[in-house]
Amino acid sequence: LKPFWLTDWGPCGQAWAISYLAAENNIAQEASQLQGVRMSSNDTGATPIGSTTTAKPRSVSLCKDGSVVLEPRDVNARQGGHPNRVSTTRFTLLSWLPKSLYWQFQRAANIYFAIVSILVCFDWSPTMTSSTVGPFCAVLLWTALKDAFEDMRRRRDDDAENMRQCDRYNAKKMAFEKTSWADVLVGDILLTHQDQAFPADVLLLRCQGGQGFISTVNLDGETNLKERRAADLLTGFLERSGQEPRKSKDLDLENLIQNLAAKNASMVMEQGLVCNLDEPKVVLTDMGGKLSLASPTDEVSQLLEELKVDIPCYISHENFVPRGCVLRNTQWVLAVVCYVGDETKTRLNIAVGTVKTSNMQKYLNYGVRCLIAALMLFCVYTSVASEVTGNSHPEGALVLFFIYWIILYQVVPISLYVCFEIMKLALGFLINVDPQMVDPKPPHKAAIARTADLVEELGQVNFVFSDKTGTLTENEMVFARALIGGEDVGDFRPREKTTDMDTNTDTANEAKPPMAPGLAECKRILRNPSHPLHSEVKWFFYCLATCHSAQVDFDDNAPGKPIFSGSSPDEVAFLDVAHAVGITFMKRQRRPGQSNWDFHIRDRFSDSEEEDVMHMFSVICEIPFSSDRKRMTIVCEHEGQYYAMCKGADNVMGSLLSEPYPDKVTDSLTRYSQLGLRTLTFASKELDAQYVEQWRKQFVEASQPHEDREGRIEALATKMENNLQLVGISAIEDRLQEGVPETIVAIKEAGIRFWVLTGDKVETAVEIVRACRLFTEDMPLAYMVNAQSSEHATQLLEAARKKLEGKDNGGLILDGTLVYFATMSKNDRRLLYELALLSKACVCCRLSPKQKRNLVELVREQNLAGITLAIGDGANDVSMILGAHVGIGIRGKEGNQAVQASDIAISQFRFLLPLLLCHGRRAYRRVATFLCYYIYKSIVLAIADAIWAHQYGFRGSIAYPEWLSSAYSTFYTSLPVLVVLAMDTDVPDKVAVTSPKLYLEGINRTRFNMKIFSTWLLSAVWHGSLVWLLPNLIEGSDVPGNAANDYGRDPYDQNAIDFWRASCCSFTLVVLVVSIQLWMVALNPLARHVVAVFVFTFLLYIAMLFTLGETSMGRNMQPQIYGVPSVIFSQGKYVLVSLLPLCALLLDYAVFTGFKLAMPSPLDLTRRDLAKSRSSVHSSKDDGELAGQQQPWAARRPVPQSASPVSGGGSPI
C-alpha cells in the first residue's frame, strides 16, 4: 500500500481517500502493488474503483413539512444510518490478527516459509521446531503489529474527517445548527461559508452574488478556481426573496447570513423542490439531472413564467460541487446534499493505477524462483542418491526429500525481501532529504519519492520523455507581441527584451522607460480615434478581455488593482496586457433566472468625452476549449449587437476564417515561431439576433443529457465557428526554467535519449529545444511532419532513416499526423524506433495526451529491457507519466495531477540531473550489489550442507548448528549489507553531476548481468566449499556414522565433539568470509560506519555463539555444541585452520584488484582522479599555489550553476 503520509496531496482531510482505497482493495492483491491516483478524465491508463458502480438514478424531493422523500429509499440507511461516515480502517480488535495473516500469506515467499514451518513439526525433521518456526512467527507478528499501527493512524484520520463540522438546516427549528460530516444525509440543506470544504456532493441552491468559486485542488489537482452557480429555476425566485447582507461594523453579518439562508431553505421546501439526478458517475464533469417544483405558489409560478425559465429545468456539473472542494472568494452558498459516502466524486475517482515493478525486483523474483528450482532438484537428487547408495531413509524417499528441503530452505532467506524493502526505503529517504533538490522558492518543497520501489530504475534510463510547457519552461506567460490589422505593433516586454523585429524607431523614442514599445504604441493608437488602426486595436483588446473563462478579484492592499486567475496562464497574460493598455475586465455577474453572464469591461480610452466608461458584454453561450477542438468560442451581446468571438491555435483557426491568412500574416506567424513564441489567432463575426435566438435554443437542447451530447454540441459549434473575420494574432513568451539547457546537455552526455513531447506547432517547438540546447547547430535534423496517409508516413520514415544513417548526432522532428499513421502499422512502429536509436534527440509536436502515451508505449514495446522516464507538470501528462517505467511529476501552475500520478515529485526540471546522476546511479549500483551479495552469502552457507550430504551418505543431517544458521541472515549478515551499501559513497554530488559518463554503467547494465552474477555464484561455491572442507577434513573426520545404513546412530551426540568443533569453526569462517567479501566491494572500506558495523555484528555473533555453547540456556537450545566455543578460541590449531581460508581470500582480493587496475570503470577512473586531486591539495603549502592547480575531474566539463546545491553543501550521501 502506498502510504498516504508519503504523498504530496495537500490537507490531511483528503488523505482518507487513499486509505479507503487500501481498505477496499488490499484483499485482492499485495499491498505494495496498490497506487492511488486521482483522476479527472478517463485518459489516464488507470481504472477508477467506482467505474463499476451499480448505483441507480437518484430522486430527492423536499416537502413542505420538512421531510425528504428519496428514491432509492435506503440511501440514508446505509452504514447504520451514517452513509457519509468515512471508515478506512481494515481491522477490528477481533479481526486484526486473522486479516493481517491472511494478507501476509498473499505473498508467495510467506507461503514458502509456512510450508517449511509445517514440515519441521514432524518427528523426522532434522532441526528443532523452535529454530525455524520461531523466526518466521516473529516476522509475521512484526508485520501484524505494523499493520495495527498503520490502522490506528487511519482511525485517527477517519475521526478527524468524520468530526468536521458543517451547518445543517433544521426544518422544525427553522434554523441552521452544527453537525458533523458523518451525520450528513442525502436531502440535507447545508450552509457553507467561505474557505470551508463541502462534506458531500451537493446541488447549489443559492450563491452569494449569484455565483460561487470553488477550489478543486484536492480532487483533480487543478489550482485555478472554478465558477459554479445555482440552476435558473432556483435563482429565478430565491435571489428575489431577500437582499444579500453586506459587511458593516454595526451589523452581525454571520447572523444575517444565517437568517437569509434559513429563509431560502424554508422557501425551497415550501415550493416542493424535486431533484431527479443521474446515477453516480466517475467523470467529474459528468453530472446531470432536472429540477421541478411539486407545489409552487402562484407568485413563484408567475415569476418563473416572466423569466422564461424552462420547467423541468435541466442541470449540469456547473450546478454541482463535489465533496472536498473548498469555497473561495464567495461569502456563502446554500446547497442540498445529493450524493454521500461511496457515491461521491472523491470516492469514485480513486483509481488503481497500473502496477509498476522495477526490473531489479523482477530479477530478484526470477533469481528466487531459480534458487527454489535448484533446491527442489537437489532434494530429488539426494532422494535418488540415497536409494542408489543403499542409505535409504526408513520413512521413504519422499520424507528424505522434505528433510533436505528443511536443511537447505535458507537458500532463500526469510530476511531477503524484508531487507530489500528496507534498502529501497533508505534510498527513497535519501531523495526526500537531499537539500540540493529543495525548491529555492517558497514554500521550499523538497523532492518526494512517492514510491521507493523504482529508485534504482533512475540509474538505468534509456529514454526521457518530457513535456515542454511548465516542464522545460516556467509556464509564466508574458504577452510578447501582437499582430493587429496586418501590422506588428511592437514588443510588449520590457525594452531590454526587444528584438530586431522592432523597426518603428519613432514609437520607441516616444515610449518612456520602462514602458514597453508595443504597449506605448497601442496606447498612442487608442488615444487617437482617427488612427487607421484605432478600431482594430480596440476590438482586439475587447476580445482579449471578453473571450475567456477567467475570474477577477481585487487586492485589498492596493485598491483598484485587479488580480486575474484562470485555468490557463495564457488567459491571465491576455487580461494583464489588456489592463495595461487600458481595457480592463472588472467583473462577471450572473443574471437571476438565466444562464447569461454580464462582463463588465472598463475602457479608459472610450470615444466619449467621459473617461473610464464601463461597457457591458452579455455572454449568452460559451463553447469551452478542449485539447481536441483547440479553440474557445463565446456568443455575446454588446449594445444590441450580437457577436461570436473565437480564439484558438493558428493551424485550426485558419480553416474557420472567411479567407485564408494573408501572406503578411503567415510570414509574421513564422517569425514569431522562430522566436520561440506561442501564437493564438483571434477572430470574430457579427450575428443576426434572430439567428442567435434560434441557435441558442438548439444549443440548450443539445446540452441536455443525451447519449450523443458531445457530438450534438460539436455540430452546433461548427455551425457557429465559420466565416470568421481575423481580429489579430497574439504571441506569448514562456521563459525557460533556470538550468534547463545545462541539464539537457548533461543528460545527453550521459547517453540518454531525450524526447520533447508538446502540443505546440513545429516551428515554436524547434526554437524552444534549440534554446534548451537539445538541438545544436551542427546536428542533422530529419523532419517528418504533415503526413497525409500511412504510405506517406512510411515514405517520411524511410527518408529520415537515409538521412541519419551513419551519423551519431542526429535529431528527429515529427508531429501528431505522423504519430497517428505510424502507430497504426507494425512495420512503421519498428521503423520509428530504429530512428529513435539513430538519433540523440527528438521533438514531437501537435500531440494529444493519448499520443504522448502511445510513443512511450511504442518504445517499451520495441525494447523490453529498456527503461523509460516521463516527466511533466499537468493533467495532460498523466497518461504519459503512468505509461513510463518511472514517472516524474513537477509541481507546477497547472495543478497537482501530474504529481499525484507520479512516482517521484520535484519542483524544478533541473532537479532531474541530481535525481539521475546522483541518486539513480548510486541506487542502481547499491541495489545490484545488494542482490548479488545477498544471494552469494546464502549459497555460501548452503554449500556446506550440500557437501555434508555427500560425506554422510545422504542420510539427511545438518552441517551447522541450527540456531546459528537461523540467525545467520537476520542478525549476522543483514545489518552490514544495509549499512555499507546505503551509506557507502562513491564521488561527491558536485563531481557526479559534472561527470555524466559515470551514468553509462547503468545504461550498459554493467553492475548486474549474467557475467557478474555468474562470478558471484562461482565465488559463493568456492568460498562455501573452502570454509567447510578445510576444518571438517582436518578436525572433523572422526565423526561417527559414516558407515552405510547407519540411521540408528545419532552423529550429533556428545561423542561427536570433534565434528561440532569443526562445524562451529567453519561457521565462524562463513561469517568472516562473507563480511570480508562485502568489505572488499565497499567503496570506502575504512570508513567509520563500515568498520563499526563489521565489528558490531562479529561481536554479536561471538556473544550468541558463547551463549549457545557456554550457558545453561544454550545447553537447552543447542546441546550439541556445549563447551565448543571455549575450545576453538583457545586452541591454536583451530586458529591456524581458520587462517587458511582467510589467506585463500587473498587470491580473490588480488584478482579483484587486478581487474580494477587492468579494466577500470569510469567510476574507478573518476575516483582515482579525485584521490590525486585531494592528495595534491594536502601537499600544497600555500594558498596561491593551491589556487593555480586544476583538479583532473573538474577539467572534464564545467559545473552547471543550476546543478549546484541550493543550500547545505549537497546531499548526505
Side-chain angles (χ1 to χ4, degrees), residues 446-603:
I448 293 181
R450 292 165 49 81
T451 172
D453 293 336
L454 307 173
V455 176
E456 71 273 16
E457 295 208 329
L458 291 171
Q460 310 168 68
V461 175
N462 301 94
F463 284 85
V464 170
F465 297 90
S466 174
D467 178 42
K468 181 183 76 67
T469 304
T471 302
L472 302 179
T473 62
E474 291 282 3
N475 203 14
E476 293 180 354
M477 306 302 177
V478 178
F479 195 95
R481 311 193 74 90
L483 187 76
I484 307 173
E487 299 293 332
D488 184 284
V489 295
D491 201 316
F492 287 78
R493 295 165 292 185
R495 177 166 297 182
E496 62 270 19
K497 296 293 184 181
T498 57
T499 66
D500 57 356
M501 291 184 67
D502 294 310
T503 57
N504 193 340
T505 57
D506 294 337
T507 301
N509 292 331
E510 291 179 11
K512 296 180 180 181
M515 185 177 292
L519 190 60
E521 175 70 5
C522 288
K523 286 189 172 184
R524 186 179 70 84
I525 293 174
L526 292 174
R527 289 192 185 100
N528 183 9
S530 62
H531 194 283
L533 292 178
H534 177 81
S535 59
E536 286 87 348
V537 171
K538 176 169 286 191
W539 186 246
F540 176 78
F541 286 104
Y542 274 169
C543 289
L544 262 62
T546 308
C547 187
H548 61 81
S549 58
Q551 313 293 340
V552 62
D553 197 4
F554 291 89
D555 191 347
D556 295 335
N557 299 323
K561 180 182 179 181
I563 300 175
F564 304 108
S565 61
S567 58
S568 168
D570 299 56
E571 292 188 339
V572 176
F574 293 149
L575 293 175
D576 283 335
V577 74
H579 169 67
V581 168
I583 298 174
T584 306
F585 167 56
M586 298 295 295
K587 181 173 65 172
R588 66 162 65 208
Q589 187 174 19
R590 179 77 67 180
R591 292 184 180 181
Q594 299 182 20
S595 58
N596 295 10
W597 281 109
D598 288 337
F599 280 42
H600 298 257
I601 308 297
R602 186 182 65 188
D603 186 357

Side-chain angles (χ1 to χ4, degrees), residues 276-318:
N276 293 307
L277 309 171
D278 294 345
E279 68 275 7
K281 297 178 181 178
V282 176
V283 182
L284 297 183
T285 57
D286 194 358
M287 302 178 76
K290 55 186 178 180
L291 305 179
S292 60
L293 300 178
S295 55
T297 62
D298 294 339
E299 181 182 358
V300 170
S301 298
Q302 183 179 355
L303 180 59
L304 296 177
E305 186 176 351
E306 291 176 359
L307 294 174
K308 298 181 180 180
V309 176
D310 297 329
I311 299 178
C313 177
Y314 288 94
I315 51 180
S316 67
H317 72 281
E318 294 181 347

Side-chain angles (χ1 to χ4, degrees), residues 914-935:
L915 197 61
L916 294 176
L917 302 189
C918 298
H919 294 280
R921 180 184 58 80
R922 293 184 185 123
Y924 168 68
R925 174 180 58 80
R926 289 165 169 162
V927 172
T929 306
F930 173 88
L931 294 181
C932 292
Y933 176 77
Y934 223 90
I935 293 177

Side-chain angles (χ1 to χ4, degrees), residues 8-25:
D8 189 30
W9 291 351
C12 64
Q14 287 300 310
W16 64 268
I18 307 306
S19 302
Y20 201 104
L21 165 65
E24 298 295 326
N25 295 273

Side-chain angles (χ1 to χ4, degrees), residues 972-1041:
Y972 313 145
T973 57
S974 293
L975 183 61
V977 69
L978 291 174
V979 172
V980 170
L981 294 183
M983 301 179 64
D984 208 12
T985 60
D986 45 22
V987 294
D989 290 344
K990 190 175 182 180
V991 179
V993 297
T994 56
S995 306
K997 296 301 181 183
L998 297 179
Y999 192 83
L1000 291 174
E1001 67 178 20
I1003 295 178
N1004 298 328
R1005 311 296 192 266
T1006 57
R1007 294 281 178 178
F1008 194 88
N1009 51 48
M1010 185 57 67
K1011 179 180 178 180
I1012 296 294
F1013 190 68
S1014 299
T1015 302
W1016 279 92
L1017 291 181
L1018 291 176
S1019 297
V1021 174
W1022 156 244
H1023 294 158
S1025 303
L1026 191 67
V1027 299
W1028 170 257
L1029 289 174
L1030 284 179
N1032 183 264
L1033 294 179
I1034 295 175
E1035 292 296 329
S1037 58
D1038 60 344
V1039 155

Side-chain angles (χ1 to χ4, degrees), residues 822-823 825-833 858 861-862:
T823 53
S825 167
K826 185 176 181 180
N827 180 65
D828 287 350
R829 293 172 70 89
R830 178 189 55 79
L831 188 56
L832 181 57
Y833 177 73
L858 184 148
E861 168 194 305
Q862 298 294 325

